[in-house]
Amino acid sequence: KTGRKDCATKQVQPYMAEEQEVHPDEHFNGSMTVKFMEEHFRFSGRETVAIMGSHTLGKFHQSETGHKYLWTTDFQAFSNQYYRNTAGRPDYFFDDNACTKVGDA
């Protein structure tokens, strides 16, 4: 059996929660995100940074979120691009064996 063992429910489907979920504000800055994760999940700052890296993979579904952008330009590659974008650092990739930088997305 899969799933969390600490989420007992009497709902029709075992994956359905009985409590209203709390979500972070999509406009949180770094310190606000860390505070939210500490309060709701007891995560440290280091754990928050690690879990936020999951945004490197995947993308928004505009019909669900209303967002018209991606976290990264290649949502199928695991890289540090999410962190570079979050920190406002130049973004590029290497397109040849000479390590020539391409772009600043």
Side-chain angles (χ1 to χ4, degrees):
K1 185 174 177 181
T2 61
R4 292 179 52 170
K5 295 178 180 7
D6 62 341
C7 292
T9 181
K10 293 182 174 108
Q11 296 289 340
V12 176
Q13 297 296 329
Y15 59 82
M16 298 172 95
E18 302 210 2
E19 303 155 1
Q20 184 68 30
E21 292 185 3
V22 178
H23 299 278
D25 187 305
E26 60 196 59
H27 299 104
F28 276 0
N29 63 24
S31 58
M32 295 163 98
T33 300
V34 169
K35 183 177 179 186
F36 176 88
M37 297 299 275
E38 285 174 348
E39 290 176 357
H40 295 279
F41 298 103
R42 290 180 277 171
F43 278 18
S44 68
R46 185 180 183 111
E47 290 168 323
T48 298
V49 169
I51 199 74
M52 292 302 291
S54 65
H55 290 90
T56 297
L57 301 171
K59 61 181 180 177
F60 290 119
H61 295 279
Q62 185 181 356
S63 61
E64 300 288 325
T65 65
H67 296 301
K68 298 180 181 180
Y69 59 89
L70 303 172
W71 286 113
T72 65
T73 55
D74 186 354
F75 59 86
Q76 295 177 322
F78 190 71
S79 67
N80 71 347
Q81 186 181 19
Y82 166 77
Y83 295 110
R84 295 183 70 76
N85 292 349
T86 302
R89 299 281 173 85
D91 199 12
Y92 51 83
F93 64 95
F94 299 108
D95 196 32
D96 57 27
N97 291 335
C99 294
T100 305
K101 292 180 181 178
V102 176
D104 182 17

